[in-house]
């Protein structure tokens, strides 16, 4: 018989034993996220049958249409922490204000943030989707606890709903990948301490929005497309409409995902939300050896002024992010490689 598969719960509990002072709360919290992932995966699998596709007829705080599955995934995640006193409050793309949980005898030590259903435009076409999560320490128990740099995260990750359901997370000790074996209802370890390539051959960006980009962003993407075999160009476009799906590809194959400022669509700071998209994905990518940048600043150093603030983002392999930053700094002499 081969070695026993390592389940997510076992992996987390064994990791906890290496930190003798750990209370076990973070471990429980991560395990609960695994359960939420299975429940969301189930809802997605039967959505066509149960007719839970389509619009909920409502908008989120940023005026974006909410799909029924956005709302459902949000409810599952909120409910996931409704007992056990693990989380004092949760913030989400789908909620204007943080959800505050009933306090137990001791205040919970953590706050959770999530984008319940990333890549919503893929919901109705059975495309790749994701749930992004970020765990931070609770401080005063108010929203101000969250308006801080991404370096404060104690754990972050995503659940990818594709041909397989993957649970990918880091608690600051590398990035680990688990695949759901639905026949036994368990996430099983498939990659421990994932290290992403230093450079890649693909880029992910919505080029339909090019007219609203800065000259620098246009020049950078044009540069990636120029043939120059000695520097590995042209790059190939790989854009799925789900940042989780695109970042996951880049974690495995290298490359760059961009969502730049877009003045034509009224998104002067781009579309990606700092707290529950940019910070957690930057945390994961950095833990795998990659980088995330606004072009001028490390994404994890950004402290937003409000809960749903957005930032322009370039995230991916270290070499491509360095190249992007050279473009942003206007250093033409060192642009090509
Ligand atoms: P969503 O459709 O869920 O809002 O989070 C932002 C995001 O998804 C990313 O996952 C995705 O890459 C991007 O928006 C798609 O936006 P565009 O349609 O503007 O390309």
């Amino acid at each position: 018989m081969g070695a026993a598969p390592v389940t997510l719960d076992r992996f987390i509990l064994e990791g906890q034993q290496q930190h003798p002072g750990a209370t076990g709360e973070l471990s429980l919290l991560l395990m609960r996220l695994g359960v939420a992932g299975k429940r969301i995966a189930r809802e997605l699998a039967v959505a066509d049958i149960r007719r839970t596709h389509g619009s909920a007829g409502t908008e989120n705080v940023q005026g974006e249409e909410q799909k029924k599955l956005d709302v459902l995934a949000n409810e599952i995640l909120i409910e996931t922490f409704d007992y056990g006193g693990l989380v004092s409050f949760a913030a989400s793309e789908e909620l204007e204000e943080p959800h505050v949980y009933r306090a137990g005898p001791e205040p919970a030590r953590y706050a959770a943030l999530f984008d319940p259903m990333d890549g919503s435009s893929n919901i109705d076409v059975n495309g790749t989707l994701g749930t992004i999560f970020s765990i931070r320490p609770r401080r005063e128990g108010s929203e101000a606890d969250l308006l801080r740099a991404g370096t404060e995260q104690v754990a972050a990750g995503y659940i990818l709903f594709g041909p397989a359901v993957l649970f990918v997370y880091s608690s600051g000790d590398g990035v680990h990948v688990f695949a759901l074996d639905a026949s036994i209802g368990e996430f099983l370890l498939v990659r421990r301490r994932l290290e992403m390539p230093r450079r890649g051959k693909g880029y992910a960006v919505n080029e339909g929005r090019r007219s609203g980009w800065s000259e620098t962003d246009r020049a950078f993407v044009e540069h990636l497309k120029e043939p120059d075999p000695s520097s590995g160009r042209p790059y190939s476009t790989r854009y799925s409409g789900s940042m989780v799906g695109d970042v996951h590809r880049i974690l495995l194959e290298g490359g760059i995902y961009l969502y730049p400022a877009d003045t034509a669509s009224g998104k002067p700071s781009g579309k990606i939300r700092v707290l529950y998209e940019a910070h957690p994905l930057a945390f994961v990518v950095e833990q795998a050896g990659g980088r995330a940048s606004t072009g001028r600043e490390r994404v994890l150093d950004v402290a937003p002024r409000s809960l749903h603030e957005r930032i322009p983002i370039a995230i991916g392999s270290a070499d491509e992010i360095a190249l992007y930053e050279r473009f942003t700094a206007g250093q033409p002499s060192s642009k090509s490689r």
Side-chain angles (χ1 to χ4, degrees):
M1 213 168 98
V6 178
T7 64
L8 177 66
D9 292 6
R10 173 176 170 177
F11 185 86
I12 290 170
L13 289 172
E14 285 181 354
Q16 184 195 318
Q17 282 161 11
Q18 283 157 28
H19 298 92
T23 60
E25 286 160 278
L26 182 61
S27 301
L28 267 173
L29 208 159
L30 289 166
M31 292 191 286
R32 297 294 304 149
L33 280 166
V35 176
K38 288 184 240 179
R39 289 185 59 192
I40 296 171
R42 158 93 180 131
E43 293 297 340
L44 290 173
V46 297
D48 241 350
I49 299 162
R50 288 195 190 158
R51 303 196 187 286
T52 44
H53 278 154
S55 174
T58 49
E59 289 184 343
N60 68 14
V61 59
Q62 283 131 333
E64 295 163 339
E65 178 202 32
Q66 286 179 309
K67 305 265 189 186
K68 288 179 200 159
L69 282 163
D70 284 322
V71 176
L72 204 54
N74 188 59
E75 284 170 4
I76 289 174
L77 286 159
I78 293 292
E79 194 191 300
T80 292
F81 301 114
D82 203 17
Y83 63 91
L86 295 170
V87 167
S88 53
F89 58 101
S92 157
E93 177 176 327
E94 308 304 336
L95 299 174
E96 188 166 353
E97 305 287 338
H99 176 92
V100 180
Y101 291 102
R102 272 169 291 126
E106 292 290 325
R109 296 174 64 201
Y110 297 107
L113 295 105
F114 27 78
D115 177 355
M117 199 53 28
D118 170 74
S120 307
S121 67
N122 287 355
I123 288 178
D124 295 346
V125 298
N126 198 26
T128 301
L129 293 156
T131 292
I132 310 175
F133 57 87
S134 164
I135 311 296
R136 288 172 171 259
R138 173 193 179 278
R139 291 175 176 274
E140 305 302 321
S142 71
E143 190 176 311
D145 294 3
L146 306 176
L147 306 181
R148 305 174 69 98
T151 45
E152 293 220 343
Q153 295 172 104
V154 293
Y158 57 83
I159 305 156
L160 174 72
F161 307 100
V165 180
L166 301 181
F167 188 97
V168 179
Y169 88 98
S170 175
S171 52
D173 189 19
V175 177
H176 316 292
V177 182
F178 300 80
L180 181 63
D181 182 339
S183 66
I184 55 169
E186 293 273 12
F187 280 105
L188 302 178
L189 181 66
V190 290
R191 283 190 175 82
R192 191 191 292 262
R193 287 186 206 287
L194 171 73
E195 278 185 38
M196 64 187 292
R198 214 187 144 76
R199 60 178 289 186
K201 295 186 181 133
Y203 72 98
V205 70
N206 185 345
E207 284 201 76
R209 305 205 181 278
R210 187 177 183 279
S211 64
W213 298 349
S214 67
E215 278 304 322
T216 305
D217 289 320
R218 285 188 219 175
F220 175 72
V221 172
E222 284 312 308
H223 175 80
L224 297 181
K225 287 156 45 173
E226 262 165 33
D228 176 25
S230 66
S231 63
R233 292 178 289 147
Y235 281 59
S236 292
T237 316
R238 294 285 184 268
Y239 190 73
S240 70
S242 155
M243 186 179 181
V244 167
D246 292 331
V247 167
H248 185 72
R249 171 189 281 275
I250 290 166
L251 267 186
L252 299 181
E253 296 183 344
I256 184 167
Y257 171 99
L258 289 164
Y259 209 111
D262 173 4
T263 49
S265 310
K267 295 189 177 75
S269 302
K271 187 178 182 194
I272 304 306
R273 269 60 55 125
V274 180
L275 287 173
Y276 41 81
E277 294 178 305
H279 275 169
L281 294 178
F283 187 85
V284 169
V285 163
E286 282 202 6
Q287 283 287 321
R291 293 186 54 210
S293 168
T294 64
R296 292 184 173 76
E297 195 180 1
R298 180 186 178 212
V299 164
L300 287 182
D301 288 338
V302 173
R305 279 152 302 176
S306 61
L307 200 56
H308 300 286
E309 195 169 302
R310 306 171 192 256
I311 40 167
I313 187 167
I315 181 166
S317 291
D319 282 4
E320 276 82 14
I321 303 301
L323 181 67
Y324 180 70
E325 285 178 335
R326 289 204 294 278
F327 266 76
T328 310
Q331 294 165 352
S333 57
S334 51
K335 275 178 189 171
S336 51
R337 45 165 224 198

